[in-house]
Amino acid sequence: ENKKEDLEQEVSKKRPRETPNYFVSIPITDDQILDRIEDVQELIFTKEPDLLRALLPVQTMHLTIIVAHLGTEEELKKAVLALKKSKTKVEDILQGKDLKMTFHGIGQFNNQVIYVKMLEEDQKMLSRIAGAVEECFIEMNLDISGSRDFKPHLTFLKLSKAPRLKRRGFRKICLDLYREYEDSYFGTEVLHQIDLCAIRKKKQESGYYYCECSINVGSGSSEESKEQ
């Protein structure tokens, strides 16, 4: 732990903090989860049509592991390598078993970000996996200083996506808008893929982010990692 912290401090001393332009994520593809999120979004939109612009498209649903600033082609190559290297560590943690991630209930940050919560017991294993990925990026001396502590949450509404609303005094999302789903079961996603995605590149036709590289993990992970 200490070694990791020292490394992080060394890296952050060297450079001013840049805005992240890449992130490592777990895509959420389970139809039940996505359908349920759409139901909640529809309910919110029906009650408060102004919030349409603040809703995130379900095609982009993911859990963020870390964010990174990769300023050069060289750093991008290093990040791809770091993700590929993390595959072995992740497989060691999973030990051939599937990690099932269960989503239940809705949470919020400052009444401005609304997300689906993940069950506590599933989070422990996922935190270890996130730590392994993070380690590989730190070893490559990449700038992940914008990353916060890993707390898996599936964001589906963000007030910051609709700055006009703020200017009109719309500063909080009221619990009444989604109360019916506050304690609902959303579904279970099996961890099978981890992606390195670009924030600013054009999204894929599916609506999901542009992927620089993906690794397959879990029981069906004999496939090689994919690179754009």
Side-chain angles (χ1 to χ4, degrees), residues 44-119:
I44 291 172
F45 171 67
T46 311
K47 294 182 179 182
E48 192 59 83
D50 282 350
L51 283 173
L52 180 64
R53 281 175 178 277
L55 298 172
L56 276 67
V58 291
Q59 296 85 339
T60 64
M61 289 296 132
H62 66 279
L63 298 172
T64 302
I65 293 182
I66 48 174
V67 296
H69 176 79
L70 308 172
T72 62
E73 210 43 53
E74 197 49 49
E75 286 180 339
L76 180 55
K77 280 182 186 153
K78 276 185 173 181
V80 167
L81 202 57
L83 184 61
K84 287 180 175 176
K85 279 176 98 168
S86 72
K87 183 178 162 83
T88 319
K89 290 188 181 191
V90 173
E91 297 292 9
D92 285 349
I93 294 167
L94 289 171
Q95 297 185 332
K97 295 189 187 81
D98 274 333
L99 172 60
K100 292 186 167 72
M101 303 176 286
T102 305
F103 292 91
H104 190 116
I106 293 179
Q108 48 78 22
F109 297 129
N110 299 327
N111 292 310
Q112 298 192 352
V113 173
I114 311 295
Y115 61 90
V116 184
K117 294 193 282 198
M118 193 169 151
L119 284 193

Side-chain angles (χ1 to χ4, degrees), residues 26 63 93-94 98-104 117-130 150 152 185 187-191:
I26 295 166
L63 298 172
I93 294 167
L94 289 171
D98 274 333
L99 172 60
K100 292 186 167 72
M101 303 176 286
T102 305
F103 292 91
H104 190 116
K117 294 193 282 198
M118 193 169 151
L119 284 193
E120 288 277 333
E121 53 264 34
D122 299 347
Q123 287 187 28
K124 290 187 186 108
M125 185 74 117
L126 197 56
S127 293
R128 285 178 62 201
I129 288 168
F150 178 65
Y185 170 71
T188 300
E189 175 87 27
V190 178
L191 173 66

Side-chain angles (χ1 to χ4, degrees), residues 53-54 112-113 157-164 166 173:
R53 281 175 178 277
Q112 298 192 352
V113 173
L157 190 158
K158 251 188 195 167
L159 263 190
S160 60
K161 268 200 81 202
R164 274 188 203 159
K166 259 194 167 163
I173 293 158

Side-chain angles (χ1 to χ4, degrees), residues 165-220:
L165 288 179
K166 259 194 167 163
R167 289 200 289 275
R168 283 173 29 205
F170 206 117
R171 302 196 177 279
K172 284 194 167 181
I173 293 158
C174 180
L175 170 63
D176 288 342
L177 294 177
Y178 56 87
R179 195 184 292 277
E180 290 93 312
Y181 289 93
E182 197 190 0
D183 197 29
S184 280
Y185 170 71
F186 277 75
T188 300
E189 175 87 27
V190 178
L191 173 66
H192 59 86
Q193 190 176 319
I194 302 176
D195 300 326
L196 172 65
C197 296
I199 293 175
R200 299 192 191 114
K201 288 187 182 174
K202 190 173 185 279
K203 288 191 172 75
Q204 300 176 36
E205 267 179 34
S206 65
Y208 188 64
Y209 295 92
Y210 181 91
C211 271
E212 298 290 349
C213 171
S214 298
I215 56 168
N216 292 98
V217 294
S219 61

